[in-house]
Amino acid sequence: TIDKLLEEQFGVAKAASLKEPMYFVDFLRDGEEDPETGEPGPPPRIYEPVPGLPECKARVGSFVTSFNDSFKLNAVDMVLFDDALLHFMRICRVMRTPRGSALLVGVGGSGKQTLTRLGSYVSGATFFQSTITKSFSAQNLLDDFKPLYVQAGVKGKGTAFIFTDKEIKEESFLEYINIFLNTGELPNLFARDELDAIYGEAAEYYAKSPYARVGEDPTQDELWTFFIERVRHHLHIVLCFSPVGDKFRTRAQKFPALINGCTIDWFLQWPAEALVDVATSLMTDFEVDAEEGEDTRGALISHMGQCHDIV
């Protein structure tokens, strides 16, 4: 019915173009340069359709370069095939959505964490991931949450907390994630002196908010509500889980907010085009010893066949 209406209202030619897949992002434009310093300002974040995937790929490629210059320890070395690019767009959209959290489901090595780090960077957010040790406990997890709460709730800066199933040393960890996704408020997270410091810092931002009342000081309850709202707005949980085995199904049943409180993105099997793009990128400069009379392409195919047999 929609296709018929499109043709009636816009004509067959234009309707055909409207039926093509269309992708929207907000990272295509650069910020205007400061006339005094010459430094680029913050990007305008205009949500608009992508002219085409090749143009978007080139744009994201420039982000990869700047990301690698800024985060050498987390440098991104990946091939931006179309499927990865679409996952990247979805992650950026979650990062830019208030209260946006994501559940990325796919087997290990599918690029979930790498794309999340890059997506956080492009969206103007920082990213954090716990360092798991043998003695890592639920209290350590809460300690990791504290600076994220302050950054998101007081400073109002976007933050992505990357959490993988390999970091679940205790099932109780998911209880805290479940609580955060439901309410944004973790019980007994801050000590009394820490709360006083938060109230003092949050009051400055509260005074500039629409909640402030002229000539009246906010109560502690009002400051705490304001703080938690900012935390929920700016702190994004990104869960990177594998669907292999029974654990994913069991955890989804025990902790429903993992499903209800997240945007789910399935990292399914790579399409053939992705495999070709990766192989082309990795083997472009690969030297092949061809026998006399054998073309290089034939020798390469022969080597690839041998590798396939080994795998």
Side-chain angles (χ1 to χ4, degrees), residues 3 26-27 49 57 61 63 71 106 129 135-138 155 167 178 209 224 235 258 275-277 280 282 293 295:
D3 289 343
D26 66 351
F27 52 74
K57 188 178 298 185
F63 287 132
F71 301 94
Q129 193 165 2
S135 59
F136 194 87
S137 64
K155 300 177 182 178
E167 293 157 6
N178 190 74
S209 73
W224 179 253
L235 179 54
L258 301 183
L275 299 176
V276 171
D277 288 347
T280 303
L282 295 177
D295 66 292

Side-chain angles (χ1 to χ4, degrees), residues 249 254 265:
R249 180 178 68 249
K254 290 175 61 179
D265 185 14

Side-chain angles (χ1 to χ4, degrees), residues 11 60 86 131 136 141 149 208 291:
V60 177
L86 298 182
T131 302
F136 194 87
L141 179 64
Y149 263 63
K208 302 175 184 177
E291 297 180 0

